[in-house]
Amino acid sequence: MLAPEMLGVQQQLKLMTLHPTKRLKILRKLSRYLAKQNRKNMRENKDPNGRRWQTRTSGDKKMMRKMGKQLKTKTTPNEARLFFPGVAGKIASHHQYGTTEKWNAAKARKVYGKPNYDDKPTRLQAKRLRELGYTIAAKRKGKRKKPSIKWIIESLTTGQAGLIIRNLKSKDTQSSWEVKLPERQLLGAKSKDITNFLAAELEKEQR
């Protein structure tokens, strides 16, 4: 994560003239500092520049609240690196750069568990019902109208909404679907923060 171009020429020279043990100590401090900053940003659903991530398509609850706990650091005398290991790394990469994921009912159940069919429908279900042309009886006799998202959420259950959606879909509808993940930058750092941190640490070494 720490690239040479992030540092000024003077800082690069000062770092390289230090004994490897001292460089390792400074870069280890830097990696911990950056990890703390990135974990804070993730908890607040912000990117390293302080911009808020794009919200969910359904609701505005915070996302990836536990991802910060998966964040690891690795340091050598020449490098400070932050990374997510294993499956967490794959998930983080998808969000960091944005991607399209293919889903099906089995995968959804594995990730989210079996839904409570008596709960209120999700906002995503309500929007899907409207997209599929779901209508209800209007006050005027013989007329029908599209209900509002609010009406659907307050009047149906998750089970009812799911059943209606399946019935409204055409027979040739595929059993899988694609979900577009927008770019949500999890890891990163401002060059200014890195250079200021290193300047302070290098100054300590010169005392």
Side-chain angles (χ1 to χ4, degrees):
M1 184 173 181
L2 174 59
E5 60 268 20
M6 287 181 169
L7 309 179
V9 175
Q10 291 297 324
Q11 283 186 323
Q12 291 183 47
L13 290 173
K14 287 179 181 178
L15 265 179
M16 295 312 297
T17 55
L18 289 177
H19 188 277
T21 303
K22 288 187 176 181
R23 284 206 308 273
L24 178 62
K25 179 183 176 182
I26 289 176
L27 293 179
R28 189 168 285 158
K29 282 185 178 181
L30 174 62
S31 66
R32 290 170 180 164
Y33 165 74
L34 294 177
K36 183 178 179 180
Q37 290 296 105
N38 278 270
R39 289 187 182 111
K40 180 176 182 291
N41 288 334
M42 280 184 266
R43 286 196 303 272
E44 296 176 355
N45 281 194
K46 294 178 180 178
D47 69 16
N49 292 311
R51 294 186 296 263
R52 290 203 171 274
W53 292 340
Q54 183 172 326
T55 56
R56 300 173 187 269
T57 54
S58 57
D60 56 359
K61 289 184 179 179
K62 287 188 176 181
M63 300 164 283
M64 295 177 278
R65 289 173 294 178
K66 297 181 180 180
M67 283 296 289
K69 295 180 180 179
Q70 303 290 327
L71 183 60
K72 306 295 182 184
T73 64
K74 183 176 182 180
T75 53
T76 71
N78 301 310
E79 180 187 45
R81 188 162 70 93
L82 305 184
F83 68 99
F84 290 96
V87 176
K90 186 176 181 180
I91 294 171
S93 178
H94 285 177
H95 284 279
Q96 180 89 0
Y97 303 108
T99 187
T100 300
E101 290 186 338
K102 194 164 187 177
W103 285 74
N104 55 37
K107 182 177 178 180
R109 283 195 298 272
K110 185 176 180 180
V111 173
Y112 296 111
K114 188 176 179 181
N116 183 343
Y117 294 109
D118 292 326
D119 281 348
K120 290 183 177 181
T122 65
R123 188 174 181 83
L124 195 61
Q125 279 183 309
K127 289 175 70 174
R128 185 65 175 140
L129 281 170
R130 285 176 56 84
E131 289 169 1
L132 291 170
Y134 174 60
T135 61
I136 59 175
K139 289 182 179 179
R140 194 172 174 183
K141 191 174 180 180
K143 298 291 181 179
R144 300 190 67 80
K145 65 175 183 178
K146 271 190 179 183
S148 66
I149 289 177
K150 182 180 179 182
W151 185 94
I152 293 172
I153 292 174
E154 292 180 350
S155 304
L156 300 178
T157 64
T158 291
Q160 290 171 332
L163 179 61
I164 296 169
I165 288 171
R166 287 195 295 275
N167 289 337
L168 288 174
K169 285 181 178 179
S170 59
K171 292 182 180 180
D172 61 347
T173 298
Q174 295 181 351
S175 58
S176 62
W177 61 93
E178 290 186 342
V179 175
K180 174 65 178 176
L181 291 178
E183 182 179 317
R184 297 184 178 111
Q185 191 177 358
L186 279 75
L187 294 183
K190 296 177 183 177
S191 296
K192 184 179 178 181
D193 290 343
I194 293 176
T195 54
N196 288 345
F197 183 91
L198 288 177
E201 291 299 318
L202 288 169
E203 187 178 339
K204 290 178 185 177
E205 290 296 329
Q206 292 178 332
R207 290 174 185 170

